Structures are given as C-alpha cells and as structure tokens.
Amino acid sequence: MSPSSPLLSLLVAAMSSSASAFLSPLARHVIASSRRMHHIQRPSQTATTRAATTRLFSFFESSSRDKILLDPKTPLHPLLNTPPTSDPSHLSQYTLPYIEIGKDDYRPNLPKGQRIVAFGDVHGDIPALHKFLLAAGVIDPASLEQQPQQIKWTGGDTILIQTGDILDRGAKELECFRTLCTLAHQAEEVGGKVYVLYGNHESLNAAGLFQYADPEGNVEFEQTFGKRLDENFGSNRWRLQFGGNEPARWAACEPGGLLANGGGSMMENMMVSCLLGRTVFVHGGLRAEHLVDRIANPQDVNSYEGISKMNREARDWIMMHHHGDNNNWGEYSTVEEVINSAQHRARTASKSMPDCLGGGIGASSPVWMRDYSQPNDAPPKNRGAKDLLDKTLEAVGEDVQRIVMGHTPQMKINSALGGRAWRIDVGASQGVMGGTPEVLEIIHGGEDGEDKVSVLTVDGKSIDGKDRAVVDNVLF
C-alpha cells in the first residue's frame, strides 16, 4: 500500500469521521462534557488522527517482515524486557512493590507516631513532583541532579500516598512514574511505603481515551516505548491495531498492556483507595454505597470487603487483555478490519471496566466524584455532603476520622466539613494552573492519642491543619 493510495485516503477519512464510534455512550458523554470546560486545551483530534495514520502507513511499506520477533497474538511487553535494564523503556523501571490486597490497603492499626504524607495530582509535571517530594522531606535534594532512577529516598519508615492523576496534561508522565517506582522500592527496603492511587485520568488512558493528553506527553510515550518497540520488533506494523490513536500510549496503558503485565507492574499495584490509621485516601471521594460489603457485615471486621473489593476489581480488570485481539503483524485486508479491530479494543475495555474506575464528569464513582471538594477552597455545594461523609466514614471502619482526596484543584490544601474532608489537589502541574505544591502530613496518635495534621510547604513551613479549615466560604 503506498502512502497516496485510495485505501489510505479512505482510512484517514474513516478514522477521522468514526473516532467517536470507538467509544461507549458514556465515554462520548465524558468527551462532550470535557469540551465545555473552558480550562481544557485540546489539540485537534482530526488533525492528530490524520497525521498519525499518514505516518503509520507511509512507513509500513518499508518494514521488513523477516525481523519480526513475536507471534501475532503475543503481548508486546517481552520486547521491552531486554537489556539494558537502565534504559527508560525497560519495564523494570515501571514496577511497584507488591500490594497484598486486604492487608496493605486496610491498615487501621498503625504504630503511634507513624508519619504519613500525601499529595495530589501531578499530571506529568516532573518539577512539581520534585517539589512535592522535597516538601514532604522524603528525598535527598542533591539526588535531583541525577537521573530519575538515582533519586534517593530519605523518608525512613514514612508512608507516602500519591492520590492519583499522574497521567495527562503534562510532558513527563513516564518520568513521574519512574521516579515514584524508584522511591517505592527504596522505601520498602527501610520500612517505608509509597502508595499510588488510581485517578480518573489513569482510568481514561486505560480505556484508550486520550483527549487530555499533552502533545509532548505523547512524544514521551513514543520516544520511550514506541521507538523501542519498532526497533526490537523489527517492524512498526504493531501500531496498526491501534488505528492511529496514539499506539504507544494505548499499548502502555490498556488492560494487560505494557504497564500492567504482571511481575510487579505499576498499574497492577495501584489502588483505588486505602485506609491508614484513622484516614482513608482516594482520588475523588467515597460514598457508603461503595462499601456495601462492610455495611452488610458491620460487626465482622474480618469479613471487611469494601475498600479491598474495589482494589481487587481494579487489579483483575487492569491485568486482563479483554479484547483478545492482538494483531502485531498488522495483517488487515480492508479499512473496515482496521477500524473494527480498534473499535473492539476500546469497547471491550470500556464495557468491562469496574464501577470503581468508571464514570465521567458528574459521576459518583471514587475516581470522579466531587461531593466533598467542589467548589474549591469553600464548603461543599452539596448540602447533603456532611451526612454523606459521616455515613461513609462510619462504613469505612471504626474511628475513621477523615477522608483525603485530590481531583478538584484548590488554591491551597484545605479541609471542609469540620476537618473531616481534606482536599489536597493544588493544581501544581503547569498543564492545570501551576499552583504551589503542598503536602499533607499526618502523625498517627496511636490508640489513645490524637492525630496531628499539618500542611507542609515548599519553603519548609509546617502549618497546623486547624489553620486550613474552610468555614462559611472563608479559608483560614
């Protein structure tokens, strides 16, 4: 097929006009709603699809079939497990210590004095991530002059939680992933922990929805994964199965993809929510109905299934190739076959996505809801938020005192609803609003003592949490 062939022209037109057909009605609603949000800067998807498809086909003709290393149906990740392991494309750079669901995600009995630090959305901004880590006091500042894999954990037994949305809006998403993975392994060696939660943008990327991706972020995926796959595969025909829709990003983020391939892979060990001491962490929020199994067995702590059930459902979903339709050799006879294959890939991921990761703008799922965080820096506009939160914290477990969430950008970290709802997304990414990074610190008080809650700033200050409460539309 030549780049100027009628079939190519038809494919470009078909891909541009049928892009929305890849998506479920809910996904189309998400995109339509996002277009109405004035702060979203979106490239032309038609132009992006046309350019990607043209580049794809113009190179296919020169690809050599005798270099292909994989069976057509085989997952692509073995191509990125070849030396050198220090290369940013090597999948060992994207692993987290194994999370034992039902144990690591539900830890009410922390030792007295246990230090917990948490920060919100990163959105591909590596300088912002570094500032979060410095404010938290968990890295050696001198190590920032080195490569990400050389960054040094100095947090000892501190537990660090990143509450989701590392992906989209920024240029260095994969570097942010590598940094957190490196620190997670170092922390594990000295008794610390690094937990990474799912945000709605991880869910969107896993479903093949890239409308919030920064063009430079797409370049990072291409340069890190796409180019290496081409080289190790001896062909770029693997790209065709993704229909011109950011093949490197899609191959990395989809269920069973490069970042969800077992062996401690990053997305395998991300969580929807976790309980640490008296605090529950999540990206968007929780409702009591998310914890139905706990409600059904309120007296039986050993049968707890609420948070852990969500985490298990997320793991089971992200680790499975739902489409079962890899076509690494790009053996398609017609335009319809290409389009149908990409449609099937997107639809099966979307339809099988568990409720805890699904939803859209305005939805009440844990990664999308804003009942406790909107409007920013003010009490929630939902008049029933206090009752909703009281029931939720009671459902999470005995003596759970607060929820910590990201998702909705605030001018500063603050709490609402009597200090029980902490909003920690400060819009730090330049792709959002370039806010000043801050970190929430909780020192667990033990069985009899009160927790100490503070806000840590980049200039080394520790602000008493009581000074960050919002009351009657005033942030103190």
Side-chain angles (χ1 to χ4, degrees), residues 14-23 45 49:
M15 286 297 299
S16 300
S17 63
S18 66
S20 64
F22 282 37
L23 314 177
Q45 289 195 332
T49 301

Side-chain angles (χ1 to χ4, degrees), residues 119-126 128-129 132 162 164-168 170 172 176 180 425 428-430 432:
F119 57 87
D121 303 29
V122 174
H123 283 304
D125 192 320
I126 194 70
L129 175 58
F132 279 128
Q162 194 283 320
D165 275 8
I166 296 171
L167 293 177
D168 288 340
K172 298 294 181 181
C176 290
L180 289 171
D425 176 14
S429 172
Q430 293 299 317
V432 181

Side-chain angles (χ1 to χ4, degrees), residues 59-337:
F59 188 60
F60 276 176
E61 194 66 14
S62 63
S63 298
S64 175
R65 288 291 302 276
D66 59 4
K67 295 181 181 178
I68 290 178
L69 307 176
L70 291 180
D71 180 273
K73 300 293 183 181
T74 302
L76 291 167
H77 59 80
L79 293 174
L80 299 183
N81 280 327
T82 59
T85 58
S86 59
D87 190 277
S89 69
H90 198 280
L91 295 184
S92 64
Q93 301 289 326
Y94 305 91
T95 64
L96 290 169
Y98 186 75
I99 296 294
E100 184 178 346
I101 295 175
K103 178 182 177 182
D104 294 327
D105 57 349
Y106 194 74
R107 301 174 60 186
N109 301 314
L110 296 177
K112 185 174 183 178
Q114 174 66 60
R115 182 174 187 254
I116 305 167
V117 291
F119 57 87
D121 303 29
V122 174
H123 283 304
D125 192 320
I126 194 70
L129 175 58
H130 289 163
K131 290 177 182 177
F132 279 128
L133 296 168
L134 288 169
V138 295
I139 61 169
D140 177 2
S143 67
L144 293 180
E145 304 300 322
Q146 306 174 37
Q147 292 299 312
Q149 55 265 36
Q150 299 302 317
I151 198 167
K152 297 295 191 299
W153 173 266
T154 58
D157 65 357
T158 296
I159 301 173
L160 182 150
I161 304 97
Q162 194 283 320
T163 57
D165 275 8
I166 296 171
L167 293 177
D168 288 340
R169 304 193 192 280
K172 298 294 181 181
E173 300 152 277
L174 292 176
E175 187 173 347
C176 290
F177 270 169
R178 291 195 301 273
T179 297
L180 289 171
C181 287
T182 297
L183 292 174
H185 288 289
Q186 293 180 10
E188 190 87 358
E189 293 176 358
V190 294
K193 276 282 188 182
V194 174
Y195 291 138
V196 182
L197 304 186
Y198 278 102
N200 58 308
H201 286 266
E202 282 72 45
S203 293
L204 288 168
N205 276 260
L209 301 175
F210 310 132
Q211 68 268 25
Y212 296 102
D214 185 280
E216 292 186 19
N218 291 331
V219 170
E220 184 193 29
F221 272 89
E222 274 296 326
Q223 292 180 342
T224 304
F225 291 145
K227 183 179 179 181
R228 185 78 183 275
L229 285 170
D230 289 345
E231 293 173 351
N232 288 1
F233 196 43
S235 168
N236 70 349
R237 295 186 68 89
W238 63 272
R239 297 170 177 268
L240 188 54
Q241 61 195 305
F242 298 99
N245 184 23
E246 300 301 339
R249 180 182 287 272
W250 201 348
C253 297
E254 71 174 341
L258 301 174
L259 299 178
N261 62 81
S265 58
M266 181 159 193
M267 298 184 82
E268 172 189 8
N269 290 294
M270 292 169 64
M271 297 181 290
V272 178
S273 180
C274 65
L275 174 71
L276 299 172
R278 302 182 180 98
T279 308
V280 61
F281 297 85
V282 68
H283 179 66
L286 286 175
R287 292 184 174 214
E289 55 259 39
H290 298 147
L291 310 167
V292 291
D293 294 300
R294 172 70 181 184
I295 295 172
N297 302 281
Q299 305 303 320
D300 189 356
V301 177
N302 293 324
S303 71
Y304 180 79
E305 281 289 324
I307 287 176
S308 296
K309 183 177 181 181
M310 290 190 295
N311 290 332
R312 191 174 297 111
E313 288 177 348
R315 174 178 285 176
D316 289 346
W317 179 76
I318 200 65
M319 293 300 293
M320 181 180 294
H321 274 286
H322 301 282
H323 54 83
D325 195 28
N326 280 331
N327 191 337
N328 299 328
W329 291 2
E331 294 185 323
Y332 299 100
S333 302
T334 66
V335 172
E336 288 73 19
E337 286 185 15

Side-chain angles (χ1 to χ4, degrees), residues 456-476:
L456 308 179
T457 67
V458 291
D459 57 0
K461 295 179 181 178
S462 177
I463 300 170
D464 191 311
K466 296 177 182 178
D467 295 333
R468 285 296 184 88
V470 292
V471 181
D472 296 329
N473 295 316
V474 177
L475 173 59
F476 290 98

Side-chain angles (χ1 to χ4, degrees), residues 371-380 403-406 408 410 412-416 421-426 440 470:
D371 294 83
Y372 313 126
S373 60
Q374 197 174 56
N376 62 284
D377 303 284
I403 186 171
V404 175
M405 72 214 81
T408 303
Q410 316 284 318
K412 297 178 179 180
I413 287 180
N414 63 80
S415 70
W422 280 92
R423 295 90 69 88
I424 66 170
D425 176 14
V426 292
L440 186 70
V470 292

